Amino acid sequence: MNVRAIFIDMDGTLLKASNSISNRNREAIIRLMNQGIKVFLATGRHYEVTAPYHKEIGLSTPMICLNGAAIHDAETGRAIQMKTVQLSEERFHHLTAEKPCNVIIHTANGLYCKETSEEIDYWTKIGLIPPRYFGDLRLANYRDVLKYSVRTGAPSPKFSALFKNEAEVIDWEDGFELVAPHVSKWSAIKSLLTEFRISPNEVVAIGDGPNDIEMLRSVGTGVAMGNASEKVKAAADFVTGHHENDGLAEFIERYLLKSYESYAI
């Protein structure tokens, strides 16, 4: 199979739980680029906490951020595509303000948070830009929302279902996320494939989360991580190793690197 591009999820795929890229994963990606295959990151993260890893690997391709709500230029960091989500703010805040959950609003101009958390502290450390606001979000002055994250600490499908008429809903084990209707990693990938004149059949995508399912189903070869849920694995053509055991590199070495004893796919 002729593979011209690979789209790689970050958390649970490229990165270990320590938020680091292993030497083996880095080396496999570099060798892939040296073969002329384009390597892209496709993540739920915002730009500021994607770019340092993009730079660490030496990528020059655009970054898909916030589950496809934004695509950023590698050189300038400028958003070359943004899809904002329009919710009934009054209703959203009425439903979330009194619940024991954290709310993170990703906007074109920064983060607005109900309260701090270890995750947000990490984002500030890596991205070097703190949230613009902490507190009662009903009092915050924000606009151009790209993604809402509601962290309930547990699966909340009944809660998230209240927003399905307004937004694309992604359910997680610890809550849910909302982006604009029809926005996904796959919708952003399609834009880039058109720009680079690459067919979906020439693409590999690899990930572990519910926000990866559509891209795994839609590209030529979808690869689920060993740490993915059964639902994600069912959407993929291949299942590789766990992210703590370099499952990303394992797949690249076995199927994509020409110098390895490779298997036809």
Side-chain angles (χ1 to χ4, degrees):
M1 179 183 171
N2 178 32
V3 175
R4 294 179 58 201
I6 183 170
F7 289 82
I8 302 172
D9 169 56
M10 289 182 65
D11 295 282
T13 301
L14 171 67
L15 303 177
K16 291 182 175 290
S18 60
N19 284 299
S20 61
I21 303 172
S22 72
N23 289 333
R24 184 181 174 194
N25 278 348
R26 187 186 302 106
E27 178 66 22
I29 290 170
I30 290 169
R31 295 182 71 175
L32 206 53
M33 290 191 292
N34 288 341
Q35 281 183 197
I37 294 175
K38 292 192 178 297
V39 177
F40 299 82
L41 297 183
T43 180
R45 292 176 173 224
H46 52 288
Y47 166 76
E48 287 78 9
V49 289
T50 302
Y53 298 96
H54 190 272
K55 184 178 180 182
E56 180 183 337
I57 307 169
L59 301 183
S60 58
T61 47
M63 285 162 262
I64 295 174
C65 298
L66 297 172
N67 295 332
I71 302 175
H72 288 265
D73 179 74
E75 189 174 338
T76 65
R78 184 178 61 85
I80 52 182
Q81 180 176 299
M82 285 198 298
K83 301 288 180 72
T84 57
V85 53
Q86 311 290 331
L87 291 188
S88 166
E89 293 292 331
E90 186 177 350
R91 178 174 177 268
F92 175 78
H93 292 306
H94 174 73
L95 290 168
T96 59
E98 305 306 326
K99 279 191 177 285
C101 63
N102 196 13
V103 177
I104 304 162
I105 301 177
H106 296 262
T107 78
N109 299 306
L111 299 181
Y112 293 76
C113 309
K114 184 176 173 183
E115 55 197 45
T116 191
S117 67
E118 281 186 24
E119 179 182 39
I120 293 166
D121 290 343
Y122 156 73
W123 288 346
T124 301
K125 180 181 176 183
I126 296 295
L128 305 178
I129 300 175
R132 296 175 69 92
Y133 178 90
F134 284 112
D136 187 338
L137 291 167
R138 291 170 291 191
L139 306 176
N141 182 22
Y142 61 83
R143 57 193 177 119
D144 298 329
V145 177
L146 298 168
K147 184 176 82 168
Y148 294 86
S149 296
V150 181
R151 302 278 200 265
T152 58
S156 305
K158 288 183 180 178
F159 190 9
S160 69
L162 298 173
F163 303 100
K164 287 197 170 174
N165 290 333
E166 296 178 279
E168 204 72 42
V169 175
I170 304 140
D171 285 304
W172 294 87
E173 290 300 305
D174 65 344
F176 59 92
E177 296 175 328
L178 306 171
V179 293
H182 311 299
V183 163
S184 65
K185 290 184 182 183
W186 172 238
S187 71
I189 288 171
K190 283 193 291 185
S191 295
L192 292 177
L193 295 185
T194 300
E195 180 184 338
F196 285 91
R197 297 185 178 182
I198 296 172
S199 163
N201 290 334
E202 300 172 306
V203 173
V204 171
I206 183 163
D208 74 305
N211 58 341
D212 298 316
I213 289 173
E214 189 182 6
M215 73 172 184
L216 297 187
R217 285 180 176 150
S218 303
V219 299
T221 306
V223 184
M225 298 298 292
N227 46 284
S229 69
E230 291 307 311
K231 186 175 180 181
V232 176
K233 289 176 180 176
D237 302 297
F238 290 85
V239 177
T240 188
H242 196 284
H243 74 123
E244 293 294 338
N245 299 323
D246 301 326
L248 169 63
E250 179 186 317
F251 179 83
I252 291 173
E253 291 164 0
R254 187 174 188 188
Y255 293 103
L256 301 180
L257 293 185
K258 291 176 181 174
S259 55
Y260 277 75
E261 188 67 34
S262 59
Y263 298 75
I265 60 173

